């Protein structure tokens, strides 16, 4: 289990203390050798070696078993030489090497990774002298970058190869990027990934909502490799890194994953003792503190370590009066067996939130409502709330039968309670269809306040006269998850061909029990409305609320999969994988008797649906150099009818077959500057067949008949360069379109919802005079439509026209005179950072976000629009002990 082992043994590099017996010798050595070529000796990166003699395994790819205990460095180096067959030259005065202690290294590592672990905390580093020799010397603080190398692997054991040789677009957002940008949420971390766009939460499911390569990925967010099903806003305080795996992912992750998946990799205990505290203060009443404590006890139970991360935050949102964020979290974990063949980590994660939520601004026909409304709040802050209280318990265990055979399992119990009452501002009803100029509609848009009346406002209406409906979204629910995933990782040879096999089985149950309410009586919202240009947030709340539905959904699923990577000599690799899933969902719905005139929801007797589906994966990698690869990747995935644990009579019937997805990808990856700069680019094509559509005239008539297509290119760069220069950049071009629709034929050829044609991100940091380090970057997101089925809407109509209807009776309809694309415009925003160390343990950092105070829509939804935060400034103090 390469990745998890590596995580538990720690990967952070920095200055350690020298054992007191020879501390004065080591200190003198550091000073003396900084002047004799320390620059070259201390290079923090290693060139990849070529293949070993006699056709032995390549030095860059195979993992080797290391079991080197903590202790004197000279003893550790001898053990390393024995394990690798390499020679290690130490450029230090005779006898002084014994003044250094090594933390040791236990587990499966590449040779260069293992040596980096042995030197962790000593102040020493290494470089490759030749194919069989490593040169170890002193870091020269003034001339050598001592920052960590860029991440070269996905933490999940499902992926056996380094990123450079993994045939898929994978963007890892590491900790150093999130720290420089003062990232506090998953959403903000993902702004560093090309091809991902963010959207507002759905009406009955708040929390993170995103689109990956053109397809919704709300249910494709994972935590340590297991689906993180809850509807909540995810905080970054316990992230080791965030991994965006775009392209084929169905074999590894199961249902969904049309455009890819997001994996949040949690912090776990390590062998180093440390205490890190970060504080953040700023505009909009921002107050945030995080703490990270790691306490190793390496002589207990074969090597034990405890780690606790905690977070507390209170803040507003720049430019959005009344919106407030109040969040608290704690993540505790204990790992045992560092120095044994059986290792385990038990972790508990809790996060609670009590926000005053903001559903932003109303649509007005095809765009944002007019007027100076950027800062307007249409909710009722004394009555609006969003409360989550999530608990996640996870056990990870692994056993190493041999250096080439590992068994690992992860089990989880998660509980996601949620309560919300949020005001959604509305002016007119949404158009049910896109009707072209010259077409006819049988009715005009209705008022959102009273859906029995036509909308009284047009594009020429004075904004001061426009009335805004306060639609109340009230829900209470508990989502839950019981899951287990067990995998075996094996490396072996057949007929001289090397294999890296991952095979696994996973399964469990997920539940969702939402209770939804309504405030509409006789089609009229009983909650008072307000004015567009001058909303009264202090208006007393009133209205007749009642339960509109009580739902219980339970899904039981199981998946079996394997992925095999074979090494066809030094230049070629081939990967193949198959998965089979069974997804069994039961659903029922009922409603207590509503008040007179209230919405009556027809009860749904218990219904069920079972979807069984295979998925496939095939890839081929050509490695013209140890520093680069070119690949072809093909994969399938599927979306079952009850994918989001929501079902109906229409979805349960046999015609709503799973949506089927097929992806092709061709790409290349290359590393430069001794693996400190990773670049990758890809062309891809994803087609969805059997896209589900709901009949606009009958919500129970749902068919699987549509076809959607997204194709495009994307590029990304991540680097940690000398002189404190870090860079993360990405660009994606997405060409999306509806290519067939049964119920919405006029949508054919128009882009899919929330898919900008172009996205771009950049953030660069560099050393400045006076020990300062500065960063500057920005994001561009192109225009996005609100709906895949109704991409454009009528904006002008004729008067009523009489005609004889199909049944021979007189009727009235209206001719469409003008239409507009219903979309939000693209935008640029820019951010900056400045930090300076005060001592080796204290650092000041300042961040300014949205420097130009741009007004833009960040999170679109078909029924409301959430603007991005205005200009804000944050100042933080970071403590390291």
């Amino acid at each position: 289990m390469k990745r998890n082992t590596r995580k538990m043994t720690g990967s952070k590099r920095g200055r350690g203390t020298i054992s007191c017996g020879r501390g004065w010798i080591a200190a003198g050595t550091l000073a003396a050798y900084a002047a004799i070529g320390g620059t070259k000796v201390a290079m923090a990166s290693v060139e990849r070696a070529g293949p070993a003699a006699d056709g032995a395994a390549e030095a860059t790819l195979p993992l080797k078993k290391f079991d080197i205990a903590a202790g004197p460095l000279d003893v550790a180096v001898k053990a390393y030489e024995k394990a690798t067959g390499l020679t290690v030259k130490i450029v230090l005065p005779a006898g002084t090497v014994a003044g250094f202690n090594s933390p040791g290294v236990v587990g499966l590592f590449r040779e260069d990774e293992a040596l980096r672990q042995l030197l962790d905390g000593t102040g020493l580093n290494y470089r490759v002298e030749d194919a069989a020799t490593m040169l170890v010397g002193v870091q020269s603080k003034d001339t050598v970058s001592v920052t960590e190398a860029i991440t070269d692997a996905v933490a999940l054991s499902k992926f056996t190869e380094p990123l450079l040789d993994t045939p898929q677009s994978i963007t890892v957002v590491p900790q150093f990027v999130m720290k420089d940008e003062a990232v506090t949420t998953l959403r903000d971390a993902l702004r560093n990934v090309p091809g991902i766009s963010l959207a507002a939460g759905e009406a009955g499911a708040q929390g993170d909502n995103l689109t990956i390569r053109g397809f919704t990925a709300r249910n494709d967010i994972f935590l340590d490799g297991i689906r993180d099903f809850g509807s909540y806003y995810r905080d970054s305080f316990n992230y080791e890194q965030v991994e965006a795996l775009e392209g084929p992912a169905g074999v590894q992750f199961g249902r969904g994953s049309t455009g890819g998946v997001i994996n949040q990799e949690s912090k776990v205990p390590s062998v180093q003792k440390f205490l890190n505290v970060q504080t953040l203060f700023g505009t909009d009443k921002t107050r945030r503190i995080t703490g990270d404590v790691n306490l190793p006890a390496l002589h207990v139970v074969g090597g034990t370590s405890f780690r606790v991360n905690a977070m507390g935050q209170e803040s507003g949102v720049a430019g959005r009066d009344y919106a407030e964020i109040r969040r608290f979290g704690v993540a505790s974990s204990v790992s045992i067996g560092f120095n044994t063949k059986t290792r385990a980590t038990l972790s508990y994660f809790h996060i609670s939130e009590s926000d005053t939520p903001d559903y932003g601004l109303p649509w007005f026909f095809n765009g944002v409502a007019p007027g100076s409304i950027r800062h307007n709040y249409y909710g009722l802050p004394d009555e609006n709330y969003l409360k989550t209280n999530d608990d996640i318990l996870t056990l990870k265990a692994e056993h190493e039968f041999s250096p080439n055979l590992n068994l690992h399992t992860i089990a989880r119990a998660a509980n996601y309670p949620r309560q919300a009452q949020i005001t959604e501002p509305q002016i007119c009803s949404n158009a049910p269809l896109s009707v072209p100029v010259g077409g006819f509609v049988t009715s005009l848009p209705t008022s959102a306040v009273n859906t029995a009346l036509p909308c009284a406002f047009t594009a020429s209406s004075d904004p001061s006269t426009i009335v805004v409906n306060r639609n109340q979204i009230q829900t209470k629910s508990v989502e839950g998850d019981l899951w287990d995933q067990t995998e075996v990782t094996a490396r072996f040879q057949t007929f001289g061909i090397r294999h890296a096999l991952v095979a696994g089985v996973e399964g469990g149950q997920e539940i969702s029990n939402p209770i939804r309410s309504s405030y509409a009586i006789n089609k009229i919202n009983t909650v008072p409305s307000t004015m567009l240009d001058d909303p009264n947030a202090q208006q007393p709340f009133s209205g007749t609320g009642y339960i509109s539905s009580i739902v219980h959904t339970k899904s039981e699923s199981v998946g079996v999969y394997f992925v095999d990577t074979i090494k066809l000599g030094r230049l070629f690799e081939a990967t193949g994988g198959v998965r089979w899933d069974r997804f069994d969902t039961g659903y029922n719905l009922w409603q207590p008797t509503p008040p007179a005139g209230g919405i009556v929801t027809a009860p749904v007797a218990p219904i069920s649906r079972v979807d069984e589906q295979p998925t496939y994966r095939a890839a081929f990698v050509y490695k013209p150099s140890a520093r680069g690869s070119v690949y072809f990747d093909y994969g399938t995935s599927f979306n079952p009818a009850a994918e989001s644990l929501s079902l109906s009579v229409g979805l349960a019937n046999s015609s709503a077959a799973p949506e089927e997805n097929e992806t092709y990808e061709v790409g290349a990856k290359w590393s430069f500057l001794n693996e400190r700069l990773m670049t990758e680019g890809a062309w891809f094509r994803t087609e969805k067949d059997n896209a589900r559509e709901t009949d606009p005239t009958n919500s129970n008539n749902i068919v699987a008949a549509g076809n959607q297509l997204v194709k495009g290119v994307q590029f990304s760069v991540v680097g940690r360069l000398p002189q404190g220069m870090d860079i993360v950049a990405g660009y994606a071009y997405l060409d999306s379109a509806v290519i067939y629709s049964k119920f919405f034929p006029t949508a054919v050829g128009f882009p899919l919802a929330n898919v900008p044609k172009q996205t771009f991100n950049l953030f660069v940091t560099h050393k400045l005079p006076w020990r300062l380090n500065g960063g500057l970057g920005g994001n561009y997101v192109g225009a996005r439509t609100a709906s895949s089925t109704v991409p454009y809407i009528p904006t002008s109509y004729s008067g009523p026209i009489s005609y004889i209807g199909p049944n021979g009776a007189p009727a009235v309809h209206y001719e469409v005179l003008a239409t507009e694309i219903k979309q939000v415009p693209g935008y640029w925003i820019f951010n900056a950072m400045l930090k300076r160390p005060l001592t080796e343990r204290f650092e000041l950092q300042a961040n300014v976000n949205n420097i130009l105070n741009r007004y833009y829509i960040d999170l679109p939804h078909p029924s409301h629009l959430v603007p991005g935060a205005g200009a804000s400034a944050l100042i933080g103090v970071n403590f390291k002990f």
Side-chain angles (χ1 to χ4, degrees):
M1 185 174 175
K2 170 187 172 188
R3 312 303 176 206
N4 287 351
T5 301
R6 183 174 164 204
K7 299 284 290 182
M8 289 191 290
T9 53
S11 60
K12 294 187 176 180
R13 297 170 53 203
R15 294 179 177 269
T17 56
I18 301 172
S19 60
C20 58
R22 302 198 180 187
W24 64 273
I25 298 176
T29 301
L30 291 173
Y33 275 80
I36 57 172
T39 301
K40 293 184 179 179
V41 173
M43 287 300 294
S45 301
V46 173
E47 294 186 4
R48 291 176 175 248
D54 301 323
E58 297 173 358
T60 60
L61 296 180
L63 303 175
K64 291 190 176 181
K65 166 64 178 174
F66 293 91
D67 191 6
I68 303 174
L73 180 61
D74 52 352
V75 176
V77 167
K78 289 180 181 178
Y80 175 84
E81 290 178 322
K82 182 178 180 181
T84 62
L86 299 174
T87 299
V88 179
K89 291 183 179 180
I90 302 179
V91 189
L92 294 173
T96 61
V97 68
F100 295 86
N101 280 331
S102 168
V105 56
V106 178
L108 294 172
F109 292 93
R110 292 185 344 213
E111 293 162 345
D112 56 328
E113 293 173 327
L115 185 55
R116 183 178 297 126
Q117 294 281 355
L118 284 181
L119 299 178
D120 190 18
T122 64
L124 304 176
N125 218 312
Y126 69 94
R127 68 174 173 86
V128 175
E129 186 174 68
D130 56 45
T133 307
M134 297 288 196
L135 194 65
V136 172
V138 182
Q139 285 179 339
S140 175
K141 179 179 178 182
D142 295 332
T143 57
V144 179
S145 171
V146 296
T147 56
E148 298 177 11
I150 59 175
T151 304
D152 67 346
V154 176
L156 301 176
S157 57
K158 291 179 171 66
F159 297 85
T160 60
E161 309 307 312
L163 284 181
L164 193 66
D165 302 321
T166 301
Q168 184 172 356
S169 294
I170 299 176
T171 302
V172 176
V173 184
Q175 264 198 37
F176 74 84
V177 171
M178 291 187 278
K179 288 180 178 178
D180 285 348
E181 296 179 349
V183 163
T184 62
T185 64
L186 173 64
R187 286 185 298 173
D188 288 340
L190 294 177
R191 298 183 196 277
N192 294 288
V193 181
I196 292 181
S197 50
L198 306 175
E202 296 294 336
Q206 290 67 46
D208 298 310
N209 193 18
L210 59 142
T211 298
I212 301 178
R213 283 189 177 176
F215 297 96
T216 181
R218 179 179 182 84
N219 298 301
D220 296 324
I221 300 175
F222 289 73
L223 179 63
D224 300 320
I226 290 182
R227 196 179 307 274
D228 188 18
F229 181 70
S231 296
Y232 69 105
Y233 293 104
R234 293 158 178 85
D235 194 282
S236 64
F237 79 98
N238 195 43
Y239 287 169
E240 189 66 43
Q241 62 188 36
V242 174
E243 301 157 350
L245 301 100
E246 300 179 80
V251 168
Q252 289 93 342
F253 294 95
R255 76 179 194 264
S257 61
T258 308
V261 302
I262 302 300
N263 183 57
Q264 310 157 88
E265 185 63 22
S266 300
K267 296 176 181 177
V268 294
S270 71
V271 297
Q272 295 175 312
K273 182 179 180 179
F274 58 80
L275 167 62
N276 296 328
V277 178
Q278 294 179 309
T279 61
L280 202 62
F281 303 91
T283 56
D284 309 296
K285 302 178 182 179
T286 298
R287 303 177 300 279
R288 179 181 171 93
I289 182 169
T290 61
D292 185 358
V293 183
N294 191 81
L295 299 173
L298 299 180
H299 300 292
V300 178
V301 197
T304 299
S305 188
F306 303 87
R307 188 167 185 175
V308 176
N309 280 268
M311 173 276 302
Q313 176 176 338
E314 289 189 357
S315 67
V317 177
R320 299 298 300 157
D321 297 340
Y322 299 104
E324 293 184 351
I325 297 170
R326 292 174 289 271
R327 197 176 294 153
F328 168 78
V330 62
S332 58
S333 54
V334 56
S335 293
I336 62 173
F338 279 113
N339 301 318
T340 70
K341 291 187 176 181
T342 301
R343 297 171 285 274
T345 298
L346 178 66
S347 62
Y348 167 70
F349 176 82
H350 171 84
I351 187 167
S352 60
E353 191 163 14
S354 181
D355 296 349
T356 302
D358 178 19
Y359 264 23
L361 310 176
W363 284 97
F364 190 63
F365 294 107
N366 63 302
V368 186
S372 301
I373 64 170
R374 175 182 181 179
H375 306 295
N376 287 0
Y377 184 81
Y378 295 95
L380 297 160
D382 291 337
E383 293 293 330
N384 289 160
Y385 55 85
L386 172 61
K387 299 178 181 180
T388 60
N389 200 36
D390 306 319
D391 296 286
I392 302 173
L393 183 67
T394 306
L395 174 65
K396 293 190 287 187
E398 63 171 317
H399 179 74
E400 181 184 307
F401 294 97
S402 73
N404 294 318
L405 182 62
N406 284 263
L407 178 69
H408 29 91
T409 187
I410 178 170
R412 174 169 296 161
N415 192 53
Y416 305 98
R418 173 172 54 105
Q419 296 184 64
Q421 181 170 323
I422 305 175
T423 298
E424 181 181 55
Q426 303 171 332
I427 298 174
C428 299
S429 63
N430 288 322
L433 293 168
S434 292
V435 179
V437 173
F440 293 89
V441 295
T442 57
S443 62
L444 298 177
T446 60
S447 165
V449 177
N450 184 346
T451 56
L453 298 176
C455 186
F457 310 111
T458 67
S460 60
S461 296
D462 183 346
S464 65
T465 66
I466 296 177
V467 177
V468 175
N469 177 50
R470 286 169 162 157
N471 179 43
Q472 297 301 300
I473 298 170
Q474 186 171 355
T475 184
K476 179 179 181 181
S477 70
V478 176
E479 279 81 44
D481 191 8
L482 287 173
W483 202 262
D484 181 81
Q485 181 185 106
T486 300
E487 290 179 337
V488 61
T489 302
R491 296 178 182 272
F492 57 93
Q493 290 191 8
T494 58
F495 305 105
I497 298 176
R498 289 176 293 147
H499 296 253
L501 174 69
V502 176
V505 58
E506 63 178 323
Q509 71 173 27
E510 299 160 280
I511 62 169
S512 179
N513 301 305
I515 301 173
R516 298 187 175 94
S517 298
S518 175
Y519 284 83
I521 301 291
N522 294 320
K523 299 185 177 181
I524 301 173
N525 186 6
T526 58
V527 176
S529 57
T530 191
M531 302 307 295
L532 175 65
D533 65 343
D534 187 22
N536 182 5
Q538 305 304 320
Q539 187 173 3
F541 179 86
S542 63
T544 302
Y546 56 93
I547 293 174
S548 57
S549 66
I550 298 176
V551 172
H552 176 72
T553 311
K554 180 179 179 180
S555 290
E556 296 178 340
S557 55
V558 63
V560 181
Y561 57 93
F562 79 87
V563 181
D564 188 18
T565 299
I566 59 176
K567 314 296 177 68
L568 305 172
R570 185 178 67 85
L571 297 177
F572 301 100
E573 292 181 2
T575 298
V578 177
R579 180 182 180 113
W580 177 83
D581 283 280
R582 186 178 192 271
F583 192 64
D584 183 353
T585 302
Y587 174 96
N588 62 69
L589 176 152
W590 71 285
Q591 178 191 21
T593 302
I599 295 174
V600 177
T601 304
V604 176
I607 57 176
S608 64
R609 179 175 175 87
V610 176
D611 288 305
E612 297 178 350
Q613 190 89 359
T615 51
Y616 306 98
R617 175 83 181 273
F620 186 78
V621 178
Y622 168 57
K623 300 186 294 184
S625 165
R627 296 182 179 85
S629 65
V630 180
Y631 66 88
F632 167 79
D633 192 15
Y634 168 80
T636 65
S637 63
F638 76 102
N639 303 81
E643 174 186 11
S644 59
L645 267 63
S646 178
L647 205 58
S648 67
V649 175
L651 282 174
N653 68 47
S654 59
S655 67
E659 298 176 327
E660 298 182 350
N661 315 297
E662 189 175 53
T663 296
Y664 299 87
E665 182 174 316
V666 178
K669 302 182 180 184
W670 222 270
S671 68
F672 299 92
L673 303 176
N674 289 328
E675 299 183 12
R676 288 199 168 272
L677 184 69
M678 174 73 80
T679 63
E680 66 174 61
W683 171 91
F684 55 87
R685 182 185 191 276
T686 300
E687 183 171 347
K688 178 185 287 289
D689 293 329
N690 294 337
R692 286 188 291 273
E693 295 183 347
T694 302
D695 188 336
T697 63
N698 180 5
S699 61
N700 285 325
N701 183 19
I702 300 173
V703 299
N707 294 85
Q708 300 171 349
L709 174 67
V710 178
K711 54 186 177 180
V713 295
Q714 72 178 60
F715 306 94
S716 64
V717 176
V718 179
R720 303 218 74 178
L721 309 178
Q723 301 304 315
M725 182 176 180
D726 296 337
I727 180 172
V728 55
Y731 170 80
Y733 178 89
L734 303 179
D735 181 11
S736 68
V738 176
I739 56 178
Y740 175 76
S741 175
K742 178 179 180 179
F743 293 133
F744 306 93
T746 56
V748 171
F750 284 90
L752 304 182
N754 194 36
V755 183
K757 192 168 286 285
Q758 298 186 82
T759 57
F760 172 76
N761 64 274
L762 172 69
F763 199 82
V764 180
T765 65
H766 200 279
K767 282 186 177 179
L768 301 173
W770 305 297
R771 298 182 67 196
L772 294 170
N773 191 285
L776 184 66
N779 290 79
Y780 172 74
V781 178
R784 293 169 284 172
T785 60
S787 170
S788 298
T789 54
V790 189
Y792 68 91
I793 62 171
T795 55
S796 178
Y797 307 86
S798 70
I801 301 173
S802 299
Y803 73 105
I804 302 300
N807 59 0
V812 172
H813 61 188
Y814 307 83
E815 183 179 2
V816 175
L817 303 179
T819 62
E820 294 286 351
I821 298 291
K822 187 177 181 180
Q823 64 180 10
V824 295
Y827 64 87
W828 278 97
I829 57 170
F830 301 95
N831 309 309
M833 178 275 294
L834 191 67
K835 63 182 177 180
R836 186 186 190 278
L838 301 179
T839 68
E840 288 190 359
R841 300 186 184 278
F842 291 84
E843 179 184 65
L844 284 177
Q845 179 173 329
N847 289 77
V848 180
N849 298 320
N850 193 3
I851 297 171
L852 302 180
N853 197 28
R854 291 285 178 83
Y855 172 32
Y856 65 99
I857 298 301
D858 186 30
L859 306 175
H861 182 274
S863 297
H864 65 272
L865 300 165
V866 180
S872 63
L874 302 170
I875 296 178
V877 181
N878 304 326
F879 308 85
K880 300 178 182 179
F881 299 97

